[in-house]
Amino acid sequence: MTTALRLSLLILLLSPLLSSTSAAATPKHDLVRRSCVHASYPDVCLRTLSSYGGAASTPRDLAQVAVRVSLAQVRRASEFLSEVKSSGRREQGALNDCVEQMGDSVEELSKTLSALEHLRRGADFRWQMSNAETWVSAALSNEDTCLDGFKEIDGKVRSDVRRKITGVARVTSNALYFINLLDD
């Protein structure tokens, strides 16, 4: 029997097992797929959240995961900006402002995550949701403000910062989308 024939038979024998295994994991990943379709940045949403599909079984879980992804990206962007800033560049003022803005975003996204983790339906649900939406919106504004500081600066630093902060803004925008879904 040839190797190709053995492999074909093995695949044929294992295919029922493989399909039942993937079918068991599908509902949670379907939640991610269905939810990302209408997100601000669907491709970014799928790419960043699909690996967390198992951790998200409800829209609230998905919103929390989206905020965690955004928070992680903001932290990485802040570290990147601090490294660039420490190299003594002429863009020092814009970098200082941007690092400060990212620090504010970390704080706002952390408060959002905490609010979502303690979110309860009831009398103060609307208040909690309003706070979460406000904090994520503020984080988005911080990201825009950071980029504004680089409008008059050309070169590699500007393009690197723009790329990094644009990525952060996209995942943050998606997080806001998921939070807004909870409010319905």
Side-chain angles (χ1 to χ4, degrees):
M1 192 181 308
T2 67
T3 305
L5 184 57
R6 282 186 201 145
L7 184 59
S8 296
L9 285 173
L10 183 62
I11 290 172
L12 186 62
L13 290 171
L14 291 177
S15 63
L17 292 173
L18 294 174
S19 64
S20 67
T21 303
S22 64
T26 301
K28 291 181 180 181
H29 288 287
D30 280 351
L31 174 65
V32 172
R33 260 192 302 276
R34 279 192 325 268
S35 300
C36 284
V37 167
H38 300 290
S40 304
Y41 301 95
D43 293 341
V44 172
C45 182
L46 276 173
R47 182 174 36 82
T48 59
L49 298 183
S50 60
S51 63
Y52 294 95
S57 57
T58 67
R60 180 174 154 188
D61 292 340
L62 198 53
Q64 289 176 3
V65 168
V67 172
R68 282 188 184 101
V69 167
S70 179
L71 186 56
Q73 287 217 8
V74 168
R75 286 182 172 141
R76 282 194 298 274
S78 186
E79 290 168 9
F80 165 79
L81 293 166
S82 293
E83 288 172 15
V84 172
K85 184 179 92 165
S86 68
S87 64
R89 306 223 176 231
R90 64 180 172 85
E91 302 90 353
Q92 199 71 31
L95 287 165
N96 285 337
D97 291 345
C98 201
V99 166
E100 185 177 325
Q101 295 297 320
M102 291 302 100
D104 291 346
S105 290
V106 165
E107 197 173 305
E108 288 147 352
L109 291 169
S110 295
K111 289 192 283 190
T112 302
L113 187 56
S114 179
L116 290 175
E117 290 170 346
H118 299 96
L119 187 63
R120 301 285 178 261
R121 295 266 178 204
D124 63 344
F125 177 80
R126 222 12 260 135
W127 172 255
Q128 293 169 334
M129 286 302 302
S130 177
N131 284 340
E133 292 164 345
T134 298
W135 292 322
V136 175
S137 295
L140 273 171
S141 293
N142 292 337
E143 292 150 14
D144 285 342
T145 301
C146 169
L147 289 177
D148 286 346
F150 289 88
K151 282 185 178 175
E152 303 298 320
I153 297 171
D154 289 323
K156 183 171 174 23
V157 170
R158 176 186 176 183
S159 65
D160 289 348
V161 169
R162 178 168 295 290
R163 181 180 35 78
K164 186 69 84 175
I165 300 304
T166 298
V168 168
R170 288 179 178 166
V171 295
T172 304
S173 179
N174 285 341
L176 181 58
Y177 164 75
F178 287 115
I179 290 169
N180 287 331
L181 289 179
L182 297 176
D183 204 14
D184 292 337

